[in-house]
Amino acid sequence: MTMTTPIQTEQRQAADATRNVDLLTRAYLMEMETVANYLAASTNLDGIRAQEVARPLAADVDEELGHARRLAARLHELGAVVPGSHELLREQDMLQPPAEPADVESVIRGVLEAEDGAIAHYRELIEATDGVDWVTQDLAISILADEEGHRRLFEGFLRDFA
Ligand SMILES: [Fe+2]
Ligand SMILES: [Fe+2]
């Protein structure tokens, strides 16, 4: 039988804390990329029908920025550094401006991909913080609920536009 020494327990707790800060930091950076792309896409969309998607997408910009704010505050509470622009992600290929400014469907598909990525990441954060950091877990659950709402909304739009 192997015994866990107090030093091993301390090392494991330190490793968990580092991993959770990494996941939290990545969540923050994902939100910031989403803010940039939703703001651009909601502005670039042209045409009367496109406005039905542009309006809720513009409203989402504020929600995603709200997520970034809450994640930044939590990072600060944990004694971690909130990253600057040099750390920003460039992963959302699907959300780059479409060649045709009225291409609503491509924007919707890009949003769905971003929301799926966010949902998967918050699930990972919720599992990683289980029993380790309840406050971060609570935050991740609350944001996950918003992302699932966004996903549901744009799934409905896809049915109308595809
Ligand atoms: Fe978000
Ligand atoms: Fe979202």
Side-chain angles (χ1 to χ4, degrees), residues 31 64 67 122 143 147 150:
E31 294 289 353
E64 308 296 5
H67 294 164
Y122 287 115
I143 297 177
E147 310 299 15
H150 298 159

mmCIF file of all heavy atoms in Angstrom, residues 31 64 67 122 143 147 150, ligand 1:
data_model
loop_
_atom_site.group_PDB
_atom_site.id
_atom_site.type_symbol
_atom_site.label_atom_id
_atom_site.label_comp_id
_atom_site.label_asym_id
_atom_site.label_seq_id
_atom_site.Cartn_x
_atom_site.Cartn_y
_atom_site.Cartn_z
ATOM 1 N N GLU A 31 -13.006 34.079 -24.453
ATOM 2 C CA GLU A 31 -14.072 35.093 -24.410
ATOM 3 C C GLU A 31 -13.635 36.353 -25.160
ATOM 4 O O GLU A 31 -14.438 36.959 -25.891
ATOM 5 C CB GLU A 31 -14.432 35.457 -22.962
ATOM 6 C CG GLU A 31 -15.058 34.326 -22.147
ATOM 7 C CD GLU A 31 -16.486 33.977 -22.562
ATOM 8 O OE1 GLU A 31 -17.084 34.674 -23.404
ATOM 9 O OE2 GLU A 31 -17.020 32.986 -22.027
ATOM 10 N N GLU A 64 -20.656 38.298 -23.590
ATOM 11 C CA GLU A 64 -19.345 37.646 -23.622
ATOM 12 C C GLU A 64 -18.298 38.515 -22.916
ATOM 13 O O GLU A 64 -17.428 38.008 -22.210
ATOM 14 C CB GLU A 64 -18.914 37.337 -25.065
ATOM 15 C CG GLU A 64 -19.936 36.577 -25.917
ATOM 16 C CD GLU A 64 -20.273 35.160 -25.449
ATOM 17 O OE1 GLU A 64 -19.806 34.722 -24.394
ATOM 18 O OE2 GLU A 64 -21.045 34.489 -26.173
ATOM 19 N N HIS A 67 -18.638 37.917 -19.356
ATOM 20 C CA HIS A 67 -17.952 36.682 -18.949
ATOM 21 C C HIS A 67 -16.466 36.959 -18.744
ATOM 22 O O HIS A 67 -15.872 36.528 -17.746
ATOM 23 C CB HIS A 67 -18.104 35.599 -20.020
ATOM 24 C CG HIS A 67 -19.521 35.124 -20.208
ATOM 25 N ND1 HIS A 67 -19.915 34.416 -21.319
ATOM 26 C CD2 HIS A 67 -20.620 35.256 -19.420
ATOM 27 C CE1 HIS A 67 -21.211 34.120 -21.211
ATOM 28 N NE2 HIS A 67 -21.665 34.631 -20.071
ATOM 29 N N TYR A 122 -15.909 25.037 -20.706
ATOM 30 C CA TYR A 122 -16.468 25.238 -19.353
ATOM 31 C C TYR A 122 -16.769 23.905 -18.679
ATOM 32 O O TYR A 122 -16.622 23.784 -17.463
ATOM 33 C CB TYR A 122 -17.691 26.171 -19.395
ATOM 34 C CG TYR A 122 -17.249 27.597 -19.640
ATOM 35 C CD1 TYR A 122 -17.585 28.270 -20.796
ATOM 36 C CD2 TYR A 122 -16.414 28.232 -18.728
ATOM 37 C CE1 TYR A 122 -17.112 29.557 -21.045
ATOM 38 C CE2 TYR A 122 -15.944 29.515 -18.962
ATOM 39 C CZ TYR A 122 -16.292 30.166 -20.120
ATOM 40 O OH TYR A 122 -15.811 31.428 -20.354
ATOM 41 N N ILE A 143 -21.567 30.558 -16.276
ATOM 42 C CA ILE A 143 -21.255 30.968 -17.653
ATOM 43 C C ILE A 143 -21.696 29.880 -18.641
ATOM 44 O O ILE A 143 -22.220 30.181 -19.715
ATOM 45 C CB ILE A 143 -19.753 31.294 -17.813
ATOM 46 C CG1 ILE A 143 -19.371 32.485 -16.912
ATOM 47 C CG2 ILE A 143 -19.419 31.618 -19.270
ATOM 48 C CD1 ILE A 143 -17.891 32.847 -16.941
ATOM 49 N N GLU A 147 -23.825 30.115 -22.190
ATOM 50 C CA GLU A 147 -23.343 29.623 -23.499
ATOM 51 C C GLU A 147 -24.351 28.631 -24.094
ATOM 52 O O GLU A 147 -24.583 28.637 -25.305
ATOM 53 C CB GLU A 147 -21.962 28.960 -23.384
ATOM 54 C CG GLU A 147 -20.890 29.758 -22.649
ATOM 55 C CD GLU A 147 -20.533 31.107 -23.269
ATOM 56 O OE1 GLU A 147 -21.276 31.611 -24.121
ATOM 57 O OE2 GLU A 147 -19.498 31.663 -22.855
ATOM 58 N N HIS A 150 -27.002 30.676 -25.644
ATOM 59 C CA HIS A 150 -26.577 31.244 -26.931
ATOM 60 C C HIS A 150 -26.662 30.178 -28.026
ATOM 61 O O HIS A 150 -27.107 30.438 -29.138
ATOM 62 C CB HIS A 150 -25.112 31.731 -26.863
ATOM 63 C CG HIS A 150 -24.888 32.831 -25.871
ATOM 64 N ND1 HIS A 150 -23.651 33.122 -25.351
ATOM 65 C CD2 HIS A 150 -25.750 33.708 -25.304
ATOM 66 C CE1 HIS A 150 -23.760 34.130 -24.512
ATOM 67 N NE2 HIS A 150 -25.016 34.499 -24.456
HETATM 68 FE FE FE B 1 -18.957 33.582 -23.080
#
